[in-house]
Amino acid sequence: MMNMILAKRPLGPNVVELVVEAPRIAARARAGQFAVVRLHERGERIPLTLADWDPGRGTITLVVQMVGKSTRELGERFGIGDTIRDVVGPLGSPSTIRRYGTVVCVGGGVGIAPIYPIARALRAEGNEVIAVVGARTKGLLLWLDRIAEVSSELHIATDDGSQGVKGVVTTPLQEVLATRKVAHVWAIGPAIMMKFCARTCQEFGVPATVSLNAIMLDGTGMCGACRVEVGGETRFTCVDGPEFPGDLVNWDLLLSRLGTFTYEERYALERYVAAQGGRS
Amino acid sequence: MIRPTQVPMRERDPQARTRTFDEVPAGYTPDEAQEEAARCLQCRDAPCMNGCPVNIHIPKFIREIREGDFRAAITTIKQTNNLPAVCGRVCPQEVQCQAPCTLGRRFEPVAIGRLERFAADWESQHGVQVPEVAPPTGVRIAVVGSGPAGLTCAADLRRGGHAVTVFEALHEPGGVLMYGIPEFRLPKRIVQGEIANLRKMGVAIEVNAVVGRTLTVDDLFTDGYEAVFIGTGAGLPQFLGVPGENFTGIYSANEFLTRVNLMRAYLFPEYDTPVKVGKTVAVVGGGNVAMDAARTALRLGAERVMILYRRTEAEMPARVEEVHHAKEEGVELHVLVNPVRFLGEGGRVEGVECLRMELGEPDGSGRRRPVPVPGSNFVLPVATVIVAIGNQPHPLVPRTTPGLRVAEGGTIWTDEDGATSRGGVFAGGDIATGAATVISAMGAGKRSATAIHRSLMRSRRRL
């Protein structure tokens, strides 16, 4: 069987990097795509963006922020040599990679990892890549070395000013857009961050692509759980996206739909934490 | 004297059953089955067989049941039908095999479906015999999709001695049998049991393989498969396209049923997938899927479940039996109403605004067209809405397979044998016909298997 975890390392508090054996996905993956994983027989299906892949070794890299029951279970209870029951992919439409000129890639928090393959692909296509990354605090920044490798400039922002400029990613983004002729911006991170990046880009008349993180179930276009409104039209994030033009996204709808199962998610997490406590 | 009515099948009490996902009908005992089998007139021309899309030798298996040779009966059924426990439960026999039954001209037709189900269930309790497989032909065939069409096609090709691999996008094979039809109508262990039997015959099944993403039809030919059967179904949910449809609390029937059936959200938090159902639920649509969604919502604790349908009960595409079961359990039918808008607060659905309809002239389908009554708008307060107005063919494979002729509505064009416009590629079931029934998909899978076998054997002989 496939899906064995070959490497695992912490990237910060509550964030882990996993290298998973998945040769079929690795062979076909392209920037912007994601996988759906199910940990075990009783597990749910959760989407995780492909942060990296190696067709030669037949592996994919997932960067997981432990926010709820399933992600904590994956980060805490799955280790090297363990097998993830189901890993499906690559899913979603790949990023449109072509020669734009100068592009800015913005990654927020755990979104820094999935912006990396996009930046790498854009750079390989001959674009000048300016990276802007941000997190709440220094310890939550990740993959700075990798991002630096594929960009000509690296701008960092932290909410508390512990590294780079104090503030959110839109601060350095604004500065870059004001001083450079930028053809296109990519932004990946929390919905609220992408919303404000899109707004900033709009002010400068620069097109922005965002990667939406809607709730998903199958991830293959058969249920519409991940539906969003883009330019007034209903679209399925898993098939039509996950990338969409930021200025056309109905952000309020996305944010409200992300809250559909808030109560159930909290309950499942509390129950998991209690069970963990009982065991140790 | 012939018994004029069918031997009744025992069912769980409507009050008790709405609290569990246990199967509603109990099935025949051996005595009941033999009594019902004795009603069969054993017609020489067997009109019933013409009504069965997979041509089961119906009088023969019924005679074997009457004689108490249940092993012989199931062997007869399995000569042509690879999923009898499924068919006996979900086929609309009243419009298939039972419609032309001679006895039905004067009395109730023979309960062929119940007898098929009995034989299949008897076998699962008394040891399953794996059907014989022809000697290896050395030919490899790929089947895309593991719903009723794909599984039937795969099983028949395997019997012909071919090496068959089924590629399934989800983590469990079965298609709509696993994610769509609820546990109380088709227990998942039954589906899993039938699929295990196919595996014992040597059918290989690869799950988590999304053809169109993980690999393509072209990749399959590159990998050495000599023919490909596409049975990817009609899995693209249709929405009403009215304002407010993206509020939270509004599900497609596919999402709602997949959460409950495939992911077992009814067992949350033992299983990790959540599902949320409010006190008042509206299900939009009048087909079997709408009935399944409504009855599922009741079992998840809804206090009031309403079916909103734009025509009248007489035009409902759902089986009479399903509508009957739903009503018995307390589902309300609201007919001649059509939602025009959803109302919400803070992004959550709180009401549905409907228009009353009346029936006008017949439309293209021959059914009288519903016409809105101007100014008849009214609002129903709802906490959950399930949209069950149909599915369209899944576009992923047609979109990523060059050379496939796609017909209007997104179906893959095929000839009568299921051959597509591309050599070596066959298609059948909902992807070729649009959303239809389990048994018609199985019939299509069977026809394609025969055509694939013939064309491959012909080309072999030429070598």
Side-chain angles (χ1 to χ4, degrees), chain A:
Chain A
M1 273 307 277
M2 299 183 288
N3 312 336
M4 190 191 277
I5 295 171
L6 302 179
K8 177 185 179 182
R9 67 184 178 107
L11 292 182
N14 292 324
V15 180
V16 289
E17 176 189 315
L18 298 166
V19 178
V20 181
E21 188 181 18
R24 270 215 181 116
I25 303 175
R28 208 165 257 282
R30 286 165 67 192
Q33 292 188 299
F34 64 93
V36 163
V37 308
R38 190 176 73 127
L39 301 182
H40 48 69
E41 192 59 33
R42 294 178 169 227
E44 61 184 330
R45 296 169 65 98
I46 55 169
L48 296 169
T49 306
L50 296 171
D52 199 4
W53 52 91
D54 183 340
R57 290 176 60 212
T59 60
I60 58 171
T61 302
L62 304 172
V63 172
V64 183
Q65 185 172 28
M66 296 184 263
V67 288
K69 196 253 179 185
S70 292
T71 47
R72 284 209 34 188
E73 206 176 355
L74 177 57
E76 291 169 355
R77 303 197 39 199
F78 281 68
I80 294 170
D82 288 337
T83 292
I84 301 172
R85 185 164 175 113
D86 300 293
V87 182
V88 201
L91 300 173
S93 301
S95 311
T96 307
I97 303 295
R98 57 182 167 84
R99 188 122 182 203
Y100 294 89
T102 300
V103 295
V104 180
C105 290
V106 188
V110 78
I112 302 170
I115 204 78
Y116 164 73
I118 296 170
R120 179 176 62 184
L122 286 164
R123 165 104 147 194
E125 200 63 32
N127 293 286
E128 191 198 347
V129 177
I130 299 173
V132 175
V133 301
R136 262 189 299 116
T137 183
K138 185 180 172 179
L140 296 173
L141 290 164
L142 48 91
W143 278 22
L144 295 186
D145 50 340
R146 286 190 173 206
I147 296 286
E149 263 172 44
V150 295
S151 56
S152 56
E153 287 173 31
L154 174 56
H155 301 261
I156 299 171
T158 48
D159 291 9
D160 62 0
S162 51
Q163 189 169 347
V165 300
K166 185 172 158 72
V168 290
V169 285
T170 44
T171 309
L173 176 62
Q174 243 159 4
E175 208 182 289
V176 172
L177 293 177
T179 54
R180 309 288 293 272
K181 191 179 164 344
V182 172
H184 205 105
V185 173
W186 260 265
I188 305 186
I192 199 75
M193 180 213 100
M194 293 191 285
K195 175 183 173 174
F196 282 103
C197 285
R199 189 172 289 177
T200 302
C201 291
Q202 217 174 343
E203 282 163 20
F204 287 89
V206 177
T209 295
V210 294
S211 180
L212 300 186
N213 52 343
I215 289 178
M216 282 188 198
L217 183 58
D218 61 285
T220 64
M222 60 165 268
C223 83
C226 66
R227 63 196 193 275
V228 290
E229 276 173 22
V230 181
E233 305 267 319
T234 295
R235 311 289 298 273
F236 289 7
T237 304
C238 70
V239 171
D240 305 319
E243 294 189 352
F244 293 103
D247 55 332
L248 299 180
V249 172
N250 180 342
W251 294 101
D252 291 343
L253 179 81
L254 174 73
L255 286 162
S256 116
R257 288 188 63 84
L258 281 170
T260 303
F261 298 109
T262 306
Y263 171 82
E264 288 78 4
E265 285 160 4
R266 196 182 311 135
Y267 179 66
L269 179 60
E270 279 168 9
R271 200 168 164 272
Y272 166 79
V273 171
Q276 290 302 98
R279 209 164 282 140
S280 59

Side-chain angles (χ1 to χ4, degrees), chain A residues 24 28 86 89 222-223 227, chain B residues 206 214 219 245-246 252 254:
Chain A
R24 270 215 181 116
R28 208 165 257 282
D86 300 293
M222 60 165 268
C223 83
R227 63 196 193 275
Chain B
E206 277 196 40
T214 311
D219 292 337
E245 201 166 17
N246 294 325
S252 72
N254 273 9

Side-chain angles (χ1 to χ4, degrees), chain B residues 187-321:
Chain B
K188 299 305 148 228
R189 58 174 170 77
I190 300 272
V191 182
Q192 286 161 330
E194 303 241 61
I195 290 169
N197 294 342
L198 301 188
R199 281 199 162 108
K200 281 182 204 148
M201 278 167 61
V203 173
I205 302 178
E206 277 196 40
V207 295
N208 298 325
V210 186
V211 173
R213 293 278 194 225
T214 311
L215 71 172
T216 63
V217 168
D218 288 322
D219 292 337
L220 293 170
F221 284 109
T222 309
D223 288 351
Y225 291 98
E226 292 183 41
V228 176
F229 175 78
I230 301 169
T232 46
L236 183 72
Q238 267 179 280
F239 286 94
L240 291 152
V242 302
E245 201 166 17
N246 294 325
F247 282 134
T248 65
I250 304 181
Y251 299 96
S252 72
N254 273 9
E255 180 188 353
F256 182 69
L257 292 172
T258 300
R259 284 185 182 276
V260 179
N261 298 326
L262 181 72
M263 307 310 297
R264 313 222 164 203
Y266 67 100
L267 299 172
F268 179 87
E270 292 303 320
Y271 282 70
D272 292 337
T273 304
V275 69
K276 205 172 199 148
V277 170
K279 280 185 183 159
T280 306
V281 178
V283 178
V284 185
N288 287 321
V289 176
M291 301 305 140
D292 286 345
R295 298 173 70 194
T296 299
L298 271 183
R299 284 161 172 78
L300 292 171
E303 286 170 12
R304 185 177 181 203
V305 178
M306 299 176 280
I307 290 207
L308 310 182
Y309 183 55
R310 60 197 185 121
R311 304 180 202 242
T312 72
E313 192 178 335
E315 285 86 25
M316 279 193 174
R319 291 180 73 185
V320 172
E321 184 189 327

